[in-house]
């Protein structure tokens, strides 16, 4: 597992954007899996800048969201559909028919999830999955105890996740949905390349368990130790609990890279 530690959130976001942009340049019709939440806001801002100032071309890119709340219409301000359009899709030249986000209002969420999993397969599988991480080690909305063999499916959010996400429902923090459709652990692990972003000291424990902890379904992100091409991109605070790598580190301007 490769770990990049950036001096601050801005550098972490730029580093992640460089990796996403490199994937798009290498394979213009690449398939991306994308997260929402607070962590990737800087990444999306940087990708929008790269599109506007450097001509980064999204026209052939396929984008699959990691998850969506069940019960919210896509134009609801707290839906992940709204978030993705507001933060990224409306500002780059991605083709609308290459954007897939689970429908939060699907009559049959199981069927919607199965169709979503199938759509990922039909697109050729995920080339690059971009992940955030919950304080409990969740990736996507795969909460502790999720089976490593899980595929896209309807899930129940953990109490801690509902509490953490109440900040995005300022008008009514009690309105955070209890359920979502999420890519499964196996769906994510099948990606050819994975990057995970984490910022802030409140993520440091989960990051430490991801890198050093036992591989266990109690810490879903620990499964990433088994992936052949996974890079964590952290700011200093998120990296603050990590043991130094026995292999030392490769320094760079504002960042250092370690291999565990
Ligand atoms: C959201 C997602 C979640 C978040 C995680 C961290 O699409 O998949 O796993 O990445 O809850 O959220 P933030 O970045 O808000 O701390």
């Amino acid at each position: 597992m490769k770990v990049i530690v950036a001096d601050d959130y801005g550098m972490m976001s730029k580093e992640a954007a460089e990796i996403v942009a490199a994937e798009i340049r290498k394979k213009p019709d690449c398939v991306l899996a994308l997260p929402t939440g607070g962590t990737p806001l800087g990444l999306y801002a940087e990708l929008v800048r790269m599109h506007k100032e450097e001509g980064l071309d999204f026209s052939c890119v396929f984008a699959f969201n990691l998850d969506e709340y069940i019960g919210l219409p896509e134009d609801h301000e707290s839906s992940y559909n709204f978030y993705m359009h507001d933060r990224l899709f409306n500002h780059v030249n991605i083709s609308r028919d290459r954007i897939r986000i689970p429908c939060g209002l699907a009559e049959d969420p199981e069927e919607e999830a199965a169709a979503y999993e199938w759509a990922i397969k039909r697109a050729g599988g995920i080339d690059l999955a971009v992940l955030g991480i919950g304080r409990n080690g969740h990736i996507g909305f795969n909460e502790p105890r999720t089976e490593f063999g899980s595929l896209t499916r309807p899930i129940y959010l953990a109490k801690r996740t509902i509490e953490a996400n109440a900040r995005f429902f300022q008008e009514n923090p009690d309105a955070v949905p209890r359920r979502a459709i999420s890519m499964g652990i196996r769906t994510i692990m099948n990606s050819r390349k994975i990057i995970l972003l984490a910022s802030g000291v409140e993520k440091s424990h989960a990051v430490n368990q991801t890198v050093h902890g036992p591989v266990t379904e109690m810490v879903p992100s620990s499964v990433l130790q088994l992936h052949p091409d996974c890079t964590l991109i952290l700011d200093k605070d998120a990296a603050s609990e990590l043991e130094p790598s026995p292999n030392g580190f490769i320094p760079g301007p504002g960042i250092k890279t370690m291999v565990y």
Side-chain angles (χ1 to χ4, degrees):
M1 183 178 265
K2 200 163 131 191
V3 178
I4 294 175
V5 183
D7 275 354
D8 57 29
Y9 176 78
M11 296 195 103
M12 179 202 78
S13 304
K14 284 206 164 92
E15 199 56 30
E18 281 303 333
I19 294 175
V20 176
E23 186 68 33
I24 296 173
R25 289 189 198 107
K26 185 178 82 186
K27 188 177 176 198
D29 60 348
C30 63
V31 179
L32 303 178
L34 297 173
T36 59
T39 312
L41 290 172
L43 160 67
Y44 294 148
E46 181 61 12
L47 288 174
V48 169
R49 188 201 65 73
M50 287 171 139
H51 168 68
K52 292 198 159 77
E53 294 176 13
E54 297 167 14
L56 182 64
D57 183 10
F58 286 78
S59 60
C60 297
V61 169
F62 289 91
F64 283 84
N65 252 59
L66 283 168
D67 36 34
E68 175 62 287
Y69 288 122
I70 290 179
L72 296 189
E74 55 187 51
D75 58 353
H76 189 289
E77 282 197 9
S78 301
S79 78
Y80 287 166
N81 196 311
F82 186 94
Y83 171 109
M84 289 307 300
H85 283 83
D86 190 42
R87 299 299 180 160
L88 181 65
F89 299 149
N90 288 348
H91 311 287
V92 297
N93 64 334
I94 191 165
S95 160
R96 301 290 127 173
D97 58 2
R98 287 169 185 248
I99 298 171
R100 283 295 303 255
I101 302 175
C103 174
L105 291 186
E107 244 173 62
D108 183 342
E110 300 270 356
E111 201 177 287
E112 171 69 9
Y116 199 73
E117 187 72 33
W118 176 238
I120 294 170
K121 278 210 180 76
R122 224 178 26 223
I126 297 163
D127 291 300
L128 173 64
V130 182
L131 307 177
I133 184 171
R135 289 177 214 188
N136 60 3
H138 73 218
I139 47 176
F141 275 142
N142 297 290
E143 303 285 17
R145 294 196 165 81
T146 300
E147 284 177 20
F148 285 164
S150 54
L151 298 173
T152 305
R153 72 218 179 283
I155 55 88
Y156 283 92
L157 297 170
K159 193 163 167 276
R160 277 177 90 181
T161 306
I162 294 168
E163 285 162 7
N165 289 0
R167 69 191 197 281
F168 297 114
F169 288 76
Q170 271 167 4
E171 276 152 37
N172 181 9
D174 290 336
V176 186
R178 271 42 184 165
R179 300 180 73 204
I181 292 177
S182 176
M183 282 187 196
I185 297 280
R186 185 167 2 141
T187 321
I188 293 171
M189 287 295 280
N190 280 343
S191 308
R192 287 179 264 282
K193 184 181 180 72
I194 297 178
I195 59 174
L196 180 148
L197 280 61
S199 160
V201 72
E202 64 280 5
K203 299 290 174 70
S204 60
H205 187 59
V207 164
N208 191 42
Q209 288 178 302
T210 306
V211 177
H212 297 299
V215 176
T216 164
E217 289 174 351
M218 295 308 294
V219 183
S221 55
S222 65
V223 75
L224 298 172
Q225 290 178 30
L226 307 179
H227 194 277
D229 188 356
C230 176
T231 300
L232 308 196
I233 308 173
L234 314 172
D235 68 6
K236 273 187 175 160
D237 290 338
S240 55
E241 275 192 36
L242 283 185
E243 306 280 330
S245 161
N247 306 315
F249 63 85
I250 310 153
I255 58 160
K256 58 182 184 179
T257 304
M258 297 178 280
V259 180
Y260 287 91

